[in-house]
Amino acid sequence: MRESEAASAADGERAFCTFATLWSVAILLDQAQVLSPASSLGFLLLVLLGRVAAVSVLTRPSGTWAFLVLNAALVATIFTRLPKAPNHGVLALLVAATILVCALRIGVTRCSGSELYRSFAPLLRWQLVALYFWAVVQKLNGDFFDAELSCGPAQVWNLRRMIPILPVLSWLQPFSIYGTLLVEASIPCLLLARRTRILGIALGAGFHLVIGAGYVGFSAMLFALLALFAPPEFHTALWKLGAASSARLRSLRAAPSPALRSFLDRSLRVAAIALAAGAALAFLAFSDNRAGFWGPALLGADRLLTLWFVFGGLMIGVFAVVAWRARSWIGERGVLRLRYRALAVMPLLVFGLGLSPHLGLKNTQSFAMFSNLETGGGTSNHLFIPSSWQIFDHLSDLVTIRDSNDRVLQKLVGPSWKWFNYFSTYTVDRGALQRSQPEPTWRLPYIALRRRVSELAKAGRRDVRLVYERGGVTHRLETAETDPELSSLSTLANKLLLMRAVPDADRGYCLW
């Protein structure tokens, strides 16, 4: 019995090391360009703490303390960025929070890597399944199947923008719609079945390697989460492959020739110094600092893309070799069985986020990215989920901005195809859309207007002029920052209820 427990602990420790390594790389890639000249000192310190912890995990993957510090810094970093964080940023926040909650449940001072992994892995697997579930369900709307409006062909354009060598083929248009749905639906189905789990990992890795051309951080995180479904034999084979590689390096270092040993010693010292210097520079230079905050950017978008394909291709190659060596194509039982049932609330949060646009709560950060889903104005274009599910009025209480001296709100005045970063309303292949569709008028959820005015009031802005129409009534304010309702949105609501503007048009558009 003790031998069985020891073997189980060893399997858990190896699986923990695999996930910790992939998760650390994913965080470094995702936050490679998160800093900017406008970053505060506190935010800078949080990002640097996360990077130091990530490098520490990469040098010693079995260390739980560095892993927990990494996830704590990640939670703080993403929460600081809210409400303007991407979909995968919210997913990363929940993943990191789940890991920390499991550590607290076990006891931070006494949890081993194996113990921690067996606690959080089933929860994270359910979160990944929930993500894929909503990625498919949100696309089941009429506009996604309309080739002129669908985000499927638009995403092909987006990938071609990043990878110009991709061909322009007419048959890619329907494939980008129906093929995307088929692949995204197949991945979780294959992962949940024991006999096809390895195929699910392979399909997911290949799909996200390509998608990663536009979304490096998101795909790198998916690589880590997909590894959670690998059987124990996979991690054992990976461990043996690493041990064999280390043994070969040691045998080279123990070469009989003194000159060769001296050369290798010097080379290793130089490599260690270069690695340390590179890591130190990375702490400061992993940022999109084109304005010169830290000097010239060392990792621009093109280099990040190159790094992603090198890393992703290497991981898929390693996966193929290890899967062949493991010779185990059948996953273990009970991978979704929760160790602590009370913590089921964590994957339920992911499921709830996907449900939020259908409940009328919010229309962003709900894993409906590029799905053509539209639930604004008390209506819904979904094929199966009716608008009657919208028990909240956040998306039906819309206002039209008529005039404002605030540059952000002014962009919403009149018909336009302007790029509304603040309200997360942008389109893919906007040029083609502009040529084929008339400029729409944009309406804004009232709670989003409150968020903007509350931020202006908190920042000390004065004499904010605002003219808006709500429910057929026009409101004129010369000092909107003093309005007791507009300027009083709570901090928590400001953080969690990001809204995008809604186009006032009969047809939907490919929006984020």
Side-chain angles (χ1 to χ4, degrees):
M1 189 67 172
R2 291 181 178 177
E3 291 182 2
S4 175
E5 291 177 354
S8 178
D11 289 339
E13 191 72 26
R14 292 164 185 160
F16 173 78
C17 291
T18 302
F19 177 78
T21 299
L22 292 175
W23 188 245
S24 299
V25 172
I27 301 309
L28 287 174
L29 289 174
D30 183 53
Q31 297 191 354
Q33 296 176 317
V34 73
L35 293 176
S36 72
S39 299
S40 65
L41 178 61
F43 184 73
L44 169 65
L45 293 177
L46 280 177
V47 173
L48 294 186
L49 175 63
R51 289 173 182 169
V52 171
V55 173
S56 179
V57 171
L58 292 176
T59 56
R60 187 171 175 267
S62 60
T64 56
W65 274 106
F67 181 69
L68 293 178
V69 170
L70 167 64
N71 285 282
L74 182 61
V75 168
T77 300
I78 297 175
F79 190 79
T80 301
R81 294 181 67 191
L82 288 176
K84 290 185 281 186
N87 281 269
H88 74 272
V90 177
L91 176 67
L93 172 65
L94 292 174
V95 167
T98 300
I99 293 169
L100 295 176
V101 168
C102 288
L104 292 174
R105 177 63 180 79
I106 299 169
V108 177
T109 58
R110 63 175 184 272
C111 68
S112 63
S114 175
E115 185 86 359
L116 184 59
Y117 180 83
R118 294 187 184 281
S119 299
F120 71 68
L123 295 166
L124 301 192
R125 293 181 189 120
W126 275 115
Q127 289 178 339
L128 182 61
V129 170
L131 173 71
Y132 279 119
F133 172 81
W134 284 119
V136 174
V137 170
Q138 310 291 37
K139 292 182 176 67
L140 300 179
N141 61 78
D143 291 331
F144 186 78
F145 293 98
D146 186 337
E148 293 183 6
L149 302 174
S150 177
C151 288
Q155 284 291 61
V156 173
W157 172 88
N158 195 36
L159 291 176
R160 287 198 71 255
R161 182 174 59 86
M162 304 299 295
I163 315 174
I165 62 173
L166 286 178
V168 181
L169 301 173
S170 58
W171 61 266
L172 277 178
Q173 192 171 66
F175 176 80
S176 64
I177 297 174
Y178 298 97
T180 297
L181 281 173
L182 178 62
V183 171
E184 290 184 339
S186 298
I187 292 172
C189 293
L190 293 172
L191 291 175
L192 292 175
R194 292 180 61 222
R195 294 185 177 276
T196 58
R197 200 159 288 159
I198 291 293
L199 295 178
I201 297 173
L203 178 62
F207 178 69
H208 289 288
L209 176 67
V210 178
I211 295 298
Y215 315 98
V216 172
F218 172 65
S219 292
M221 289 178 185
L222 266 292
F223 268 43
L225 294 175
L226 286 168
L228 294 169
F229 284 88
E233 294 83 0
F234 177 89
H235 301 290
T236 301
L238 180 63
W239 187 276
K240 290 180 179 179
L241 180 63
S245 300
S246 299
R248 289 192 183 94
L249 289 175
R250 285 195 299 271
S251 65
L252 285 175
R253 190 173 183 275
S257 169
L260 181 57
R261 283 202 304 270
S262 176
F263 171 77
L264 289 174
D265 285 339
R266 288 195 302 271
S267 299
L268 288 174
R269 289 195 206 99
V270 171
I273 294 172
L275 180 63
L281 286 173
F283 296 151
L284 296 179
F286 273 153
S287 61
D288 189 9
N289 49 13
R290 295 183 179 90
F293 189 49
W294 294 108
L298 297 186
L299 196 60
D302 54 340
R303 293 173 187 156
L304 182 61
L305 183 61
T306 302
L307 182 61
W308 163 247
F309 279 115
V310 171
F311 168 75
L314 179 63
M315 289 301 99
I316 290 179
V318 170
F319 167 81
V321 172
V322 171
W324 177 256
R325 289 194 172 196
R327 301 295 175 88
S328 176
W329 300 92
I330 301 178
E332 62 180 330
R333 298 180 185 273
V335 296
L336 296 174
R337 189 180 301 123
L338 303 184
R339 187 168 186 177
Y340 304 112
R341 293 186 179 180
L343 298 185
V345 66
M346 303 308 291
L348 285 176
L349 285 174
V350 178
F351 186 84
L353 281 175
L355 193 60
S356 58
H358 304 288
L359 298 179
L361 187 61
K362 58 188 296 186
N363 57 4
T364 62
Q365 297 169 339
S366 56
F367 313 122
M369 49 283 194
F370 302 116
S371 67
N372 290 98
L373 181 67
E374 184 56 66
T375 56
T379 63
S380 175
N381 66 350
H382 201 274
L383 297 177
F384 305 110
I385 303 178
S387 59
S388 59
W389 284 29
Q390 297 180 26
I391 58 176
F392 297 94
D393 65 351
H394 294 173
L395 301 180
S396 58
D397 187 5
L398 301 176
V399 303
T400 302
I401 308 298
R402 298 302 184 188
D403 187 33
S404 179
N405 59 357
D406 174 52
R407 61 178 181 83
V408 173
L409 295 174
Q410 179 62 32
K411 288 184 176 182
L412 294 170
V413 177
S416 69
W417 275 121
K418 294 176 181 176
W419 193 287
F420 306 127
N421 280 339
Y422 181 85
F423 296 111
S424 302
T425 35
Y426 60 86
T427 58
V428 181
D429 197 3
R430 188 175 46 162
L433 199 57
Q434 288 174 322
R435 293 189 295 270
S436 62
Q437 302 293 331
E439 294 182 335
T441 299
W442 298 89
R443 294 188 294 169
L444 191 64
Y446 182 61
I447 197 169
L449 177 62
R450 292 181 60 196
R451 176 166 73 90
R452 179 57 182 172
V453 175
S454 296
E455 288 182 353
L456 292 173
K458 185 177 180 180
R461 280 281 302 274
R462 294 291 180 266
D463 301 325
V464 178
R465 187 178 71 258
L466 176 63
V467 181
Y468 67 95
E469 183 180 317
R470 181 189 184 198
V473 179
T474 300
H475 301 262
R476 300 178 183 274
L477 301 171
E478 294 299 327
T479 56
E481 76 280 0
T482 63
D483 185 275
E485 185 175 15
L486 285 176
S487 61
S488 61
L489 188 66
S490 68
T491 302
L492 188 60
N494 187 11
K495 286 284 187 182
L496 301 181
L497 296 179
L498 178 69
M499 302 280 186
R500 62 169 172 80
V502 177
D504 188 8
D506 295 333
R507 307 180 74 186
Y509 302 106
C510 181
L511 305 175
W512 178 78

